[in-house]
Amino acid sequence: MTYYQGTFEKGVVLKKILLVDDDATFRHLFAELLNKEFETYEAVGVCDALKMLETITVDLICSDYNMRDGTGLDLLQVCKERNICVPFTLMSADEGNGLSRKAELNGITFCEKTDHDFIGIIKRMLQQEQADNKRLQ
């Protein structure tokens, strides 16, 4: 498990993001981007992510689709079974597998790894979750 926390004002509570990707280059690059605004945890695959989720609570999961020990949709399924209900982003370098549609059918967001607005997508998801939670109160 790798954990990053940026430098922020004292007392600021950061949203926690679990970044799951078996490609170390992408994972570290995305962690650096996310770490500027979020508390970021890294997992190297489905099993590692599930193990981490036993000990930490996160506000959003951002997972690669195709990993050595399963897919991001496998991770999503186990999260649902364990009642881990947080926004979930499925990422891939290749949208050619109809992943956008698969994500939509599972009620999650798809993001290509090359998307120039990656941080914006994450922020909008967290803002939507916060708005949804306020409406339920």
Side-chain angles (χ1 to χ4, degrees), residues 43-91:
V44 297
V46 175
C47 293
D48 190 32
L50 292 171
K51 191 174 195 177
M52 290 177 71
L53 288 167
E54 292 174 359
T55 59
I56 63 169
T57 301
V58 296
D59 299 296
L60 183 136
I61 298 171
C62 188
S63 176
D64 186 28
Y65 174 70
N66 191 22
M67 296 174 280
R68 290 180 193 95
D69 64 346
T71 69
L73 293 177
D74 296 334
L75 175 59
L76 175 66
Q77 182 60 39
V78 177
C79 285
K80 287 180 178 181
E81 291 168 4
R82 294 183 182 181
N83 291 317
I84 300 170
C85 302
V86 297
F88 196 104
T89 301
L90 186 66
M91 302 183 303

Side-chain angles (χ1 to χ4, degrees), residues 113-127:
K113 286 184 176 180
T114 56
D115 194 317
H116 68 280
D117 193 26
F118 176 71
I119 297 293
I121 291 168
I122 299 298
K123 284 182 178 180
R124 286 189 295 277
M125 289 178 67
L126 289 168
Q127 288 168 348

Side-chain angles (χ1 to χ4, degrees), residues 1-4 16-19 27-28 31 39-45 47-58:
M1 168 174 77
T2 305
Y3 165 71
Y4 294 95
K16 297 177 184 179
I17 295 180
L18 176 58
L19 181 61
R27 192 176 64 250
H28 295 311
E39 192 172 311
T40 308
Y41 297 86
E42 292 184 40
V44 297
C47 293
D48 190 32
L50 292 171
K51 191 174 195 177
M52 290 177 71
L53 288 167
E54 292 174 359
T55 59
I56 63 169
T57 301
V58 296

Side-chain angles (χ1 to χ4, degrees), residues 27-41:
R27 192 176 64 250
H28 295 311
L29 174 67
F30 287 133
E32 281 187 37
L33 290 172
L34 291 168
N35 190 45
K36 293 177 183 178
E37 300 189 43
F38 307 102
E39 192 172 311
T40 308
Y41 297 86

